[in-house]
Amino acid sequence: MEEPSADSATGTASEQDILAVTDRRTGQQYELPITDDTIQAMDLRGIKVNEGDFGMMPFDPGLSNTAVCRSSVCFIDGEQGILEYSGYRIEELAEHCSYMEVCYLVLNRELPNAEQLAEFEAEVRADMVMPESVMRLQNAMDPDLHPMSMLQTSLAALAGEYPEAAEVLEPEVRRQHTMRLIAMTPVIAALGFRFRTGAGPIDIRPELSYSENFLHMMLTPTGEEPNVAPAMVKAMDALLVLHADHEQNCSTNAVRAVGSSQVNPYSAVTAGAAALHGPLHGGANQKVLEMLESIEDLADVPAFLESCQSGDKRLMGFGHRVYKNYDPRAKVIGKLAGDVVDVAGPNRMLEIAQALEKTAIEDDYFTKRKLFPNVDFYSGMIYSAMGFCPRSFTVFFAVGRMVGWLAHWEEMMADVNNRIVRPRQIYTGYPRRDFVPMDQR
Ligand code: SDX
């Protein structure tokens, strides 16, 4: 893995880069250095009314305007609707690269040459196994368990299988278990799918690509030869590319925060999977399908959108904390959905989705709030056309995002300035009061 360059670890402020503020409570003036168009939150602590005061803090509950790290993995311009992995536009990566190429890029910040890619794929393929103990654990679960709960449990259990992964300060240990997680996650996801659907065991096939093996392990009947449609493999590979990373989203932030305690990577990515499961985050792709299934007819679209404007319903798959324009991934996935449906035949849900999009982007409730389709709006359509049920969709998101979680985890662990995440609060509880014994309560 590439170590961050020294100058990327700490910005530098020139003489002019100063924020001059006056605290009118005291008339005091302060000069706060500006680096990378940010001020250091700790510099605010010097702003006090009385010498013994704790000092000032920024208040930013959803971290909407707080940079928590420096990162070279991914760049988003929310106003322009731009997403780049290490400088390469997502549209070009989705069209020209395999998911394995993009995994190499996300982890190393460079696209691999043919030899590097072959070596990377061989190491991943060699690790595409499921430890017996995790297999027994997964097969002991209730088949009706939500697939994301099953995935979280299995990921966490891997920490027990590889106790040496706790040596997180060793770069080679981090690299080895990063590769293991990229390799094992689709196996865990696929075998969980087979367990829930009552299909028998199956093995990966060394001659197949990563995405082909992923689909083969889910769809090939036991004992039969793999026969996955190339269009499905291409669509799955592109979806994994499009989901690979997205800077400091909720689940990646969870991985960084949990990983900052120096816990093993299996526990850190389990926290990421737990965050991703939420309907406001990765769970939205499942909710979009449930939303589309609830709209009986195209004629019901205007009334549904009105219920979103009144707050009764939420237009799932729309809106984004960062994108105030089209999510570039939604454009690529929307076209992919059209291609897949062209092959699979007319699809009522796609027609409803396209009608929702067309109506919403012309309605000032949505345009005023800059609400556009996000990555989750069309992705479920494709998974559904592949024959998967909505409860599996977020697991596919997790398979793609695993490499992003691990790239950010590595970037954090390799950062000599890394510290445990421990935010502060504004206390709103009781002031100190005398203890009340039981017989007086
Ligand atoms: C992902 O962060 C990432 O990068 C995430 C992700 C990734 O790759 O990791 O891109 C993946 O999680 C995509 C988002 C998937 N979630 C959904 O599709 C769920 C529906 N969307 C929303 O719940 C919402 O838009 C969020 C959660 C995505 C963003 O929430 P914010 O930034 O906190 O915005 P908000 O809830 O404060 O909304 C601002 C306004 C509100 O109206 P007002 O109070 O101003 O009147 O917009 C409204 C909201 O009611 N609004 C919506 C809406 N989303 C926001 N109204 C109807 N439908 C929606 N979807």
Side-chain angles (χ1 to χ4, degrees), residues 269-292:
V269 297
T270 299
L276 189 73
H277 190 182
L280 295 187
H281 189 12
N285 55 20
Q286 171 183 338
K287 294 298 178 191
V288 168
L289 259 289
E290 292 167 5
M291 171 185 78
L292 296 175

Side-chain angles (χ1 to χ4, degrees), residues 166-217:
E167 300 305 319
V168 294
L169 300 180
E170 295 301 324
E172 180 49 25
V173 170
R174 298 200 302 264
R175 192 202 68 80
Q176 187 186 19
H177 293 282
T178 289
M179 296 299 283
R180 273 207 170 123
L181 271 162
I182 291 169
M184 291 181 173
T185 302
V187 180
I188 290 172
L191 295 183
F193 176 84
R194 292 185 82 85
F195 168 65
R196 290 189 302 276
T197 55
I202 200 156
D203 293 322
I204 72 157
R205 299 294 286 262
E207 73 277 15
L208 301 183
S209 70
Y210 186 91
S211 297
E212 218 168 346
N213 256 318
F214 183 31
L215 288 166
H216 152 65
M217 287 188 285

Side-chain angles (χ1 to χ4, degrees), residues 64 76 242-243 245-252 276 278-285 287-288 308-309 311 313-324 327 329 365-366 369-371 374-377 397 401:
S64 296
I76 300 174
L242 290 159
H243 286 83
D245 190 53
H246 212 240
E247 60 150 79
Q248 303 308 314
N249 58 83
C250 180
S251 55
T252 299
L276 189 73
L280 295 187
H281 189 12
N285 55 20
K287 294 298 178 191
V288 168
C308 295
Q309 296 173 29
K313 300 264 176 59
R314 185 140 276 221
L315 184 52
M316 300 311 277
F318 253 66
H320 201 276
R321 174 64 56 77
V322 175
Y323 288 122
K324 299 311 170 190
D327 180 333
R329 302 167 296 176
Y365 170 88
F366 295 94
R369 292 170 175 80
K370 299 191 175 181
L371 302 176
N374 60 47
V375 68
D376 291 311
F377 190 63
F397 193 149
R401 185 54 56 85

Side-chain angles (χ1 to χ4, degrees), residues 347-379:
N347 180 306
R348 182 187 74 83
M349 282 196 285
L350 180 63
E351 289 163 8
I352 298 271
Q354 289 169 336
L356 280 169
E357 176 185 3
K358 185 175 182 313
T359 314
I361 61 174
E362 291 163 2
D363 182 310
D364 65 9
Y365 170 88
F366 295 94
T367 52
K368 198 166 60 179
R369 292 170 175 80
K370 299 191 175 181
L371 302 176
F372 294 95
N374 60 47
V375 68
D376 291 311
F377 190 63
Y378 282 112
S379 55

Side-chain angles (χ1 to χ4, degrees), residues 293-357:
E293 283 163 353
S294 74
I295 301 172
E296 298 283 317
D297 189 277
L298 285 172
D300 300 327
V301 163
F304 180 80
L305 288 176
E306 276 164 32
S307 69
C308 295
Q309 296 173 29
S310 66
D312 288 344
K313 300 264 176 59
R314 185 140 276 221
L315 184 52
M316 300 311 277
F318 253 66
H320 201 276
R321 174 64 56 77
V322 175
Y323 288 122
K324 299 311 170 190
N325 199 323
Y326 255 85
D327 180 333
R329 302 167 296 176
K331 286 184 182 169
V332 177
I333 296 174
K335 186 182 174 310
L336 263 180
D339 297 347
V340 171
V341 167
D342 285 350
V343 172
N347 180 306
R348 182 187 74 83
M349 282 196 285
L350 180 63
E351 289 163 8
I352 298 271
Q354 289 169 336
L356 280 169
E357 176 185 3

